[in-house]
């Protein structure tokens, strides 16, 4: 069992930056692929980014490519999402997720554990 706790959300102006963190419990964190998803009001949850167990491979949604960076520190059991050049359309609840598999999945069903989410609001 893995427990995930997100932090770092908040209110920021368009063009600003935020860094989200996701702290994981358990000794097997370094074996999981980790992902970030987001859900805007009235919309379905969508994939944002994923990173493999070693941190050497990543994938991103087209909407955030070049602006967001996912990274991880296995010694700290933490995955990060650095968000730059934020836009109002990035406003959403951001969720961290863990996948016991090996792929950089972009589908919700591929992930086994989920955090409670952290709110990100970008004002125009």
């Amino acid at each position: 069992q893995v427990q995930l706790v997100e932090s770092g959300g908040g209110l920021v102006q368009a063009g600003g930056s935020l860094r989200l963190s996701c702290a994981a419990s358990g000794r097997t964190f370094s074996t999981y692929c980790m992902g970030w998803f987001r859900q805007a009001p009235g919309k379905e949850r969508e994939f944002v980014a994923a990173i493999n167990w070693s941190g050497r491979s990543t994938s991103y949604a087209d909407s955030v490519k070049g602006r967001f960076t996912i990274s991880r520190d296995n010694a700290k059991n933490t995955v990060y999402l650095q968000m730059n050049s934020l836009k109002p359309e990035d406003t959403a609840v951001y969720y961290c997720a863990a996948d016991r598999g090996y792929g950089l999945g972009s589908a919700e069903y591929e992930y086994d554990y989920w955090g409670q989410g952290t709110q990100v609001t970008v004002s125009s």
Side-chain angles (χ1 to χ4, degrees):
Q1 187 77 7
V2 174
Q3 291 186 325
L4 304 173
V5 179
E6 302 96 335
S7 62
L11 174 64
V12 63
Q13 289 189 331
S17 298
L18 280 175
R19 187 175 84 154
L20 305 183
S21 298
C22 173
S25 65
R27 293 178 288 180
T28 56
F29 171 79
S30 62
T31 66
Y32 294 140
C33 171
M34 299 297 296
W36 285 96
F37 288 74
R38 66 186 182 186
Q39 186 168 21
K43 295 188 177 181
E44 293 188 352
R45 190 154 55 183
E46 65 175 5
F47 170 75
V48 175
I51 188 166
N52 78 330
W53 68 273
S54 70
R56 294 193 185 98
S57 295
T58 58
S59 68
Y60 296 92
D62 288 343
S63 59
V64 306
K65 207 171 288 185
R67 299 188 299 123
F68 290 11
T69 302
I70 188 171
S71 62
R72 67 190 297 162
D73 185 338
N74 287 340
K76 295 182 178 179
N77 277 17
T78 302
V79 62
Y80 305 98
L81 186 68
Q82 178 67 44
M83 306 186 295
N84 298 330
S85 302
L86 282 161
K87 305 174 182 180
E89 50 263 45
D90 294 318
T91 295
V93 176
Y94 283 72
Y95 298 90
C96 170
D99 170 17
R100 292 175 294 183
Y102 298 100
L104 294 172
S106 61
E108 290 187 55
Y109 71 84
E110 297 179 83
Y111 290 82
D112 303 290
Y113 305 105
W114 292 82
Q116 294 300 307
T118 185
Q119 176 70 47
V120 171
T121 303
V122 184
S123 63
S124 57

